[in-house]
Amino acid sequence: MESNEGKIKSKYQSEQKMYVNDKESEGISTFLSVLAWMIFIGGFIGGIIVANREREIEGWYYDEVEKYFDWSVAITVWLSCLISGVVLLGFAKVINILSMILSQNKLIYTSMSYMECYMYRAEELFRRLKEDTNTITCKIEMLENNVDKKNDAGITEN
């Protein structure tokens, strides 16, 4: 009985090593989330910096430098950073969800492994109970036969 239970536990432990560690996947998801937020913030600031433009206006008597904000450049940078950040946040969320599913599967698998142990124990107990029942039945039959023999012997003596 112990050897089979040990086999089941060692099988579970060897299969458990194939899974990714929950903390590792949590770290990856956290890294991707932080990277996405850095892209959001950096993209916003970068869009403002890149969209600030200067142009020289030449005049008759002097040259003038005009500063202006180019909205098309800013919106292009902001949208590209927004899309990149959202994609990274999406990957982080997918990794979190897969990690939760993996944790639930580990719990179910652990429960099922223990159920296999309990089922084996129950089968062993039922087998022993059946053997004991057969032994008791045989002993009862032997006792009944002895009683019948004694009764038959007692009846013939009287």
Side-chain angles (χ1 to χ4, degrees):
M1 182 167 92
E2 296 296 326
S3 63
N4 200 12
E5 184 178 330
K7 287 179 188 176
I8 292 170
K9 285 184 180 179
S10 65
K11 177 181 131 184
Y12 168 70
Q13 289 170 350
S14 66
E15 289 182 8
Q16 186 180 20
K17 292 176 185 174
M18 295 186 324
Y19 296 127
V20 176
N21 190 2
D22 289 338
K23 291 183 181 183
E24 183 179 327
S25 61
E26 185 178 312
I28 292 170
S29 123
T30 303
F31 172 75
L32 289 177
S33 297
V34 168
L35 186 62
W37 282 105
M38 286 173 56
I39 288 175
F40 287 145
I41 295 168
F44 181 75
I45 294 170
I48 292 173
I49 291 172
V50 171
N52 280 323
R53 302 273 178 134
E54 294 180 355
R55 68 175 160 204
E56 288 186 24
I57 301 174
E58 293 183 18
W60 287 96
Y61 301 107
Y62 58 90
D63 292 340
E64 185 179 334
V65 176
E66 180 185 39
K67 293 184 178 182
Y68 67 99
F69 191 79
D70 192 354
W71 282 99
S72 63
V73 172
I75 290 174
T76 303
V77 171
W78 291 338
L79 283 177
S80 64
C81 290
L82 179 73
I83 291 170
S84 300
V86 167
V87 167
L88 282 177
L89 278 179
F91 280 139
K93 187 67 175 174
V94 166
I95 289 173
N96 266 341
I97 291 171
L98 289 175
S99 177
M100 288 185 335
I101 291 171
L102 179 63
S103 298
Q104 290 173 353
N105 285 346
K106 280 184 184 179
L107 180 64
I108 290 170
Y109 187 76
T110 303
S111 301
M112 289 181 70
S113 294
Y114 288 130
M115 292 272 297
E116 286 178 8
C117 291
Y118 293 134
M119 290 296 292
Y120 176 76
R121 287 179 184 166
E123 288 173 1
E124 186 70 22
L125 288 174
F126 283 126
R127 186 184 61 75
R128 286 183 183 173
L129 183 62
K130 189 175 181 181
E131 288 174 1
D132 291 344
T133 305
N134 289 339
T135 305
I136 291 171
T137 305
C138 290
K139 287 182 179 179
I140 290 173
E141 287 175 0
M142 286 175 37
L143 288 174
E144 286 176 350
N145 288 338
N146 287 340
V147 169
D148 288 341
K149 287 180 184 178
K150 286 183 182 179
N151 284 341
D152 290 341
I155 293 173
T156 55
E157 290 177 7
N158 290 334

